Amino acid sequence: MSLLDENMNQGETMQEYDYIVVGAGSAGCVVAARLAQRIDARVLVLEAGDARDDAASLTHPEQWVANLGSVFDWDYSYAPNPHTGNRTMPMPRGKVVGGSGAINALVWVRGHSADYDGWAAAGNHGWDYASVLPHFKQAEDWEDGPTRFRGAGGPIRVERAKNLHPVAQALINSAVSYGMPYLDDINTPDPIGAGPVSMNVRDGKRWNTWHGYLKPLLGDDRLTLVTGAHVRKLIVSGSRCTGVEFERDGQVRQVRTRGEVVLSAGAVDSPRLLMLSGIGPARELRRLGIETVTDLPGVGQNLQEHPLVAGLCFESRQTLPPFNNNLEGSIFFWKSAAGLPSADLMFVAMQIPYVSPVIDRACSPPPNAFSVLPGLMRVESRGHLRLLSPDPHGNLEIQPNLLSEQADIEALSAGLELGMEIAAQPPYQDIIQRRIAPNWPMNRRQRRAFLRDASVPYQHAVGTCAMGSGPEAVVDSRLRVHGIDGLHVADASIMPSITSANTNAPSVMIGEVAAGLLADERDTHVRHRARSLAEPSHI
């Protein structure tokens, strides 16, 4: 792979490539590397961020929060909504090779098998759990070696958190005290219970798709990575995508493909680029003066996000030891109601006083404090993303509508109560000096007000280019954009419904599936062409 720097000349990008991958994030790195490895094709990757490994916050797991709002973050924001107190909330997105997987909390978890079976049941053939499991395994290098459900030897090293911090160990012990089973491995088909978190780390350092997929291909002429390349729009000729236009160092350039363009720019920028290119809701495009190429009403719709209650905060009895692992270290899954078929709540404990701005102003937590964080993993609320300008650098309205559905409020309220019961278990009481927040107990009205003030996004945006066959679908089950040839989307935006846990590992899986689909399509094309050339012509 050649990595072109600021001295790149225009001629180097005017060449024609077999594949252009837009975005070197959690899925894009996978797509590009697998295509280069599997088939004899020239692949160009355009990434707006830089290739960086020189910052402690990018490498040391316990320093990941320093990435938020930094030069490695696009610094997007979620728009205010009344259900969360009309607060503008940060939406970190990775502005670096590796994407959001380069700045996040390193949690490697797949969710429940029913997540993927649900995708398939909605008409997306090949996306059921049994079908995607081999792709999860293909990506992994699990520390315990291969099992029925885990992979080994793959590009992403995955290990349990070690030497658990007292806050993390108390979460597991308190969950077990409450009656939950212990999970030695949280990546089972039906995770319910508590255990050490799985993280994408190697030798104690972050190990993302840049490290595992792209970086090992340095020197391979089949793959070119251009950093600092801000893609402005897709080039569409008739009904086929034939290239992209991008800006670098103040110069606007175009690059063409003889094959496919793959959008892997994430749940924000993949739909943004589609709409800037005239692919999206015709009514919205007309409002902005963008000529409609294909009317796809679902582009930018179906935005889903996990809400997290950042308001259960406790002062420790003793000075807490230095932070370790990913500032968390443990996790548990549980149900908000006994009759549910699978867990819809996920809890982590933070070794710092991690609270919303409203709770922080009200309580001023001391440094020697920690938080227990309930998160709702199965959400009914749906939001949207809108362009506010036809300018490629223009503002967006990103509205997740957190807690807009009563079902989400009820489930998260049950999570709040469960969090307080967990904090009351003996293992946590052994380390808790006092409760900082919330005031407890609460009546129904007080709980709703607390959830409004304490809820924050988990930074798991998905769904804005949803996969399916209905009128709101953007891509089909082979990730081809409806109505446009030569264009695929491969990232978290294609999820028709959000997974019941963190979304990074599923995004890597999506990259693996996408690369396989693209390679199969190329193999089929080559076979058809060979058969056609071999057939005798008739005059």
Side-chain angles (χ1 to χ4, degrees):
M1 178 180 71
S2 58
L3 193 157
L4 303 184
D5 62 19
E6 62 273 8
N7 296 316
M8 178 191 70
N9 61 61
Q10 186 171 355
E12 289 177 288
T13 58
M14 289 302 290
Q15 303 174 52
E16 191 174 60
Y17 292 84
D18 296 301
Y19 296 93
I20 300 172
V21 180
V22 178
S26 295
C29 286
V30 180
V31 173
R34 290 302 194 195
L35 286 174
Q37 291 168 327
R38 180 169 172 178
I39 59 180
D40 185 19
R42 298 178 66 244
V43 182
L44 172 67
V45 187
L46 298 173
E47 167 57 43
D50 294 324
R52 294 283 298 274
D53 284 326
D54 57 342
S57 63
L58 295 177
T59 56
H60 295 283
E62 73 281 2
Q63 296 188 35
W64 67 267
V65 293
N67 293 317
L68 311 186
S70 74
V71 295
F72 309 121
D73 180 5
W74 281 107
D75 206 22
Y76 290 127
S77 296
Y78 278 133
N81 89 75
H83 310 288
T84 49
N86 290 308
R87 289 177 283 134
T88 298
M89 294 184 283
M91 185 194 186
R93 300 281 91 189
K95 190 179 182 180
V96 63
V97 177
S100 296
I103 70 170
N104 66 5
L106 304 93
V107 176
W108 187 266
V109 58
R110 302 169 181 170
H112 197 281
S113 61
D115 301 341
Y116 309 100
D117 290 341
W119 294 1
N124 297 300
H125 176 72
W127 289 89
D128 57 282
Y129 180 71
S131 296
V132 301
L133 178 60
H135 298 281
F136 273 120
K137 294 173 68 175
Q138 182 174 268
E140 286 184 339
D141 182 22
W142 174 232
E143 65 173 342
D144 285 354
T147 71
R148 180 182 173 190
F149 297 113
R150 302 305 298 263
I156 301 296
R157 178 68 176 177
V158 182
E159 301 178 1
R160 297 178 189 82
K162 307 292 195 304
N163 304 313
L164 293 185
H165 192 275
V167 168
Q169 190 65 60
L171 182 76
I172 295 174
N173 294 346
S174 294
V176 172
S177 173
Y178 178 81
M180 297 183 192
Y182 176 78
L183 290 177
D184 183 56
D185 180 5
I186 62 171
N187 280 296
T188 66
D190 181 15
I192 189 158
V197 71
S198 291
M199 301 187 300
N200 47 291
V201 297
R202 180 183 290 276
D203 299 326
K205 302 291 181 63
R206 182 189 295 271
W207 192 259
N208 57 36
T209 55
W210 159 237
H211 304 118
Y213 285 87
L214 277 195
K215 202 171 183 180
L217 293 180
L218 286 171
D220 191 325
D221 291 338
R222 293 173 298 177
L223 199 151
T224 299
L225 170 64
V226 181
T227 57
H230 188 101
V231 175
R232 296 163 53 89
K233 67 177 182 179
L234 307 171
I235 300 169
V236 181
S237 302
S239 63
R240 184 170 189 85
C241 183
T242 58
V244 303
E245 178 181 287
F246 70 98
E247 181 181 347
R248 192 173 191 272
D249 298 332
Q251 297 183 28
V252 175
R253 301 163 179 171
Q254 292 187 350
V255 64
R256 302 280 177 167
T257 176
R258 63 175 66 91
E260 308 285 331
V261 171
V262 184
L263 278 184
S264 292
V268 172
D269 285 300
S270 283
R272 184 216 284 260
L273 282 170
L274 288 175
M275 288 187 281
L276 287 171
S277 308
I279 304 167
R283 182 176 179 179
E284 285 290 297
L285 299 179
R286 284 195 298 269
R287 176 180 61 83
L288 296 167
I290 299 173
E291 182 180 353
T292 300
V293 173
T294 298
D295 182 12
L296 280 182
V299 175
Q301 302 303 305
N302 192 49
L303 175 61
Q304 296 160 62
E305 171 66 276
H306 291 139
L308 183 70
V309 183
L312 281 67
C313 189
F314 308 90
E315 185 175 9
S316 174
R317 288 185 184 276
Q318 63 271 338
T319 301
L320 292 172
F323 307 138
N324 70 0
N325 290 307
N326 64 337
L327 286 181
E328 298 168 9
S330 60
I331 195 170
F332 77 71
F333 299 93
W334 204 243
K335 301 176 182 180
S336 64
L340 293 175
S342 59
D344 62 335
L345 298 172
M346 187 182 82
F347 281 64
V348 295
M350 289 284 281
Q351 300 160 25
I352 59 175
Y354 191 87
V355 295
S356 75
V358 177
I359 302 303
D360 185 59
R361 288 192 298 269
C363 300
S364 299
N368 196 42
F370 65 90
S371 294
V372 174
L373 303 171
L376 179 62
M377 299 293 105
R378 297 194 182 279
V379 296
E380 297 293 332
S381 300
R382 297 291 186 271
H384 64 266
L385 179 148
R386 298 178 69 207
L387 298 185
L388 299 180
S389 164
D391 184 342
H393 301 282
N395 291 330
L396 301 169
E397 177 185 283
I398 312 173
Q399 176 55 266
N401 284 324
L402 289 182
L403 305 187
S404 60
E405 294 292 333
Q406 185 62 31
D408 292 351
I409 296 171
E410 296 296 334
L412 209 50
S413 180
L416 171 60
E417 183 171 357
L418 176 58
M420 297 307 295
E421 291 184 23
I422 293 296
Q425 297 299 311
Y428 260 138
Q429 286 302 299
D430 285 346
I431 66 172
I432 291 175
Q433 175 67 33
R434 67 182 178 99
R435 182 180 67 249
I436 298 168
N439 293 322
W440 194 258
M442 293 178 174
N443 60 32
R444 184 181 180 88
R445 180 186 60 79
Q446 290 168 328
R447 288 190 193 196
R448 178 64 190 93
F450 182 76
L451 291 177
R452 177 197 65 211
D453 292 340
S455 292
V456 297
Y458 217 145
Q459 316 306 342
H460 296 160
V462 307
T464 48
C465 298
M467 175 173 58
S469 57
E472 293 294 312
V474 177
V475 301
D476 65 15
S477 62
R478 297 187 68 82
L479 305 185
R480 299 172 296 197
V481 174
H482 291 299
I484 299 291
D485 296 327
L487 180 60
H488 294 67
V489 180
D491 55 37
S493 72
I494 67 96
M495 296 185 190
S497 55
I498 196 166
T499 53
S500 56
N502 303 63
T503 53
N504 185 247
S507 296
V508 174
M509 177 274 290
I510 289 168
E512 288 278 8
V513 173
L517 292 172
L518 287 161
D520 288 345
E521 289 177 10
R522 182 176 174 89
D523 291 345
T524 299
H525 174 75
V526 169
R527 286 196 300 271
H528 285 171
R529 179 171 175 80
R531 188 180 303 118
S532 175
L533 292 173
E535 291 176 352
S537 59
H538 298 281
I539 300 176

